[in-house]
């Protein structure tokens, strides 16, 4: 399956954030992260802003995709929910659409049932927004004109300290 | 696949280091992680076996100076090189924007290189991608070990597809060729994504 580029504009980011905020309020979760299945974080809210979301995105997407591969070995199309229970905090990962997953971190102030219920609702709303973002042109605004050789060099120049 | 976030002013790309087992993919990321300043790198995550062989992947996010007010972030991944981990290799390739093929230059490892390259091509096809059409560089690693195959022979074996791609000699453990490889694939990804303006010649 071919992956599609995602282009999130300011207005999309505001709409996604509103859905995630509502999800946090309704489900009493501590943090919510929207992650592309390639491992790249798309949005986050709640205490997620203080976490290492790059690593969490990579690891959660990997866990989810290996679980999906396991499901296929068992003849299922995929397992749509992944749940990790900790002593204080737990994690719920669920499908938004073919390319995106929603990760929620919660503690004893709520239950897995509540998180699951509201994650499903939030996923539907986010899925609609993301569908629109995938149709957007990439090269607009500041990125409309092709890069000069110098810009391309600077934006790809990693240099040892 | 790239992710452009106009709200956060960030452009994300995914780069995968591919190649046979023990070719030095993890060594590339470890050197980059060791040498980049704190402000340009995130935490390196390695999912490895007890004897330090990559089990799932290594992950290292790095960022360059950026362009037109946007930060350019490159998420670097390695795959497990061992033949029997093909399922996990395929999973890591999901959404890849650019590939570094790390070859082991030693004569004794030439067959593994060819097999790994063929495997890369097959796995990319499952995502509707083709090496010939994507940002891609080859790194001939372990040039300090012996006996190693001459460069032209390696090029003949591993870099004779529809187009010749940039290639680098490297000794990843001491950093030789590591940043040349990373910067070249990063630049190719950016140019593919946003195009490159024709320079005016006087």
């Amino acid at each position: 399956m071919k992956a599609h580029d995602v282009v999130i504009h300011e207005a999309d980011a505001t709409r996604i954030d509103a859905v995630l905020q509502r999800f946090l309020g309704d489900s009493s979760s501590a943090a919510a992260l929207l992650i592309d299945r390639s491992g790249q974080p798309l949005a986050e809210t709640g205490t997620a802003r203080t976490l290492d979301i790059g690593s969490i995105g990579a690891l959660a997407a990997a866990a989810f995709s290996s679980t999906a591969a396991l499901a296929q070995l068992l003849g299922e199309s995929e397992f749509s929910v992944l749940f990790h229970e900790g002593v204080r905090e737990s994690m719920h990962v669920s499908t938004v659409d073919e390319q995106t997953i929603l990760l929620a971190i919660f503690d004893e102030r709520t239950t897995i049932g509540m998180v699951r219920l509201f994650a499903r609702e939030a996923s539907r709303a986010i899925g609609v927004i993301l569908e629109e973002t995938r149709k957007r042109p990439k090269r607009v605004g500041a990125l409309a004109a092709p890069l000069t050789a110098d810009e391309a060099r600077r934006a790809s120049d990693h240099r040892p300290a | 696949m790239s992710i452009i976030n106009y709200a956060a002013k960030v452009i994300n790309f995914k780069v995968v280091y591919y190649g046979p087992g023990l070719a030095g993919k993890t060594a590339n990321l470890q050197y980059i992680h060791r040498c980049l300043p704190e402000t340009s790198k995130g935490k390196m995550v390695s999912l490895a076996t007890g004897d330090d062989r990559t089990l799932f992947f290594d992950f290292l996010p790095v960022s360059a100076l950026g362009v037109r007010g946007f930060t350019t972030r490159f998420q670097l991944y390695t795959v497990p090189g061992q033949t029997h981990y093909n399922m996990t290799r395929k999973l890591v390739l999901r959404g890849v924007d650019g590939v570094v093929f790390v070859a082991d230059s030693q004569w004794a490892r030439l067959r593994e290189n060819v097999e790994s390259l063929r495997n890369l091509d097959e796995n990319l096809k499952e995502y509707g991608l083709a090496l010939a059409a994507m940002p891609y560089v080859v790194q001939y690693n372990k040039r300090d070990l012996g006996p190693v195959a001459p460069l032209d022979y390696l090029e003949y074996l591993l870099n004779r597809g529809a187009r010749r791609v940039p290639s680098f000699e490297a000794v990843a453990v001491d950093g030789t060729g590591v940043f040349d490889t990373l910067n070249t694939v990063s630049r190719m990804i950016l140019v593919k994504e946003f195009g490159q303006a024709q320079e005016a010649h006087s």
Side-chain angles (χ1 to χ4, degrees), chain A residues 1 4-6 8 10 13 38 40 42 58 62 98-99 138-140 142 145-147 149 151 155-158 161, chain B residues 1-4 6-7 12 14 35 57 64 68 72 77 94 126-127 179 183 186-187 193-197 199:
Chain A
M1 195 203 67
H4 296 275
D5 295 330
V6 182
I8 299 175
E10 277 95 342
S38 66
Q40 312 192 62
L42 298 174
E98 280 198 344
Q99 264 191 255
K138 279 188 277 187
R139 302 181 195 176
V140 293
L147 305 182
E151 281 176 324
S156 59
D157 189 25
H158 305 93
Chain B
M1 48 155 288
S2 61
I3 295 176
I4 304 173
Y6 281 84
N12 272 307
K14 180 171 181 177
C35 294
F57 59 79
R68 298 178 190 165
T72 42
Y77 285 78
R94 184 179 183 126
E126 296 211 14
Y127 291 110
F179 278 97
N183 291 348
S186 304
R187 186 152 58 237
E193 191 76 18
F194 299 110
Q196 175 143 1
E199 300 291 307

Side-chain angles (χ1 to χ4, degrees), chain A residues 23-102:
Chain A
F23 165 68
L24 283 194
D26 290 344
S27 70
S28 300
S29 297
L33 265 96
L34 195 63
I35 302 161
D36 184 86
R37 292 197 193 200
S38 66
Q40 312 192 62
L42 298 174
E44 73 279 344
T45 194
T47 56
R49 289 188 174 133
T50 61
L51 301 171
D52 178 2
I53 57 164
S55 300
I56 292 176
L59 290 167
F64 202 81
S65 58
S66 60
T67 310
L70 265 176
Q72 281 163 17
L73 292 176
L74 298 178
E76 284 286 326
S77 60
E78 79 169 1
F79 295 130
S80 57
V81 171
L82 189 64
F83 171 53
H84 296 297
E85 186 174 10
V87 177
R88 283 185 305 276
E89 296 203 304
S90 299
M91 200 176 86
H92 177 276
V93 189
S94 55
T95 301
V96 171
D97 61 20
E98 280 198 344
Q99 264 191 255
T100 322
I101 52 179
L102 174 65

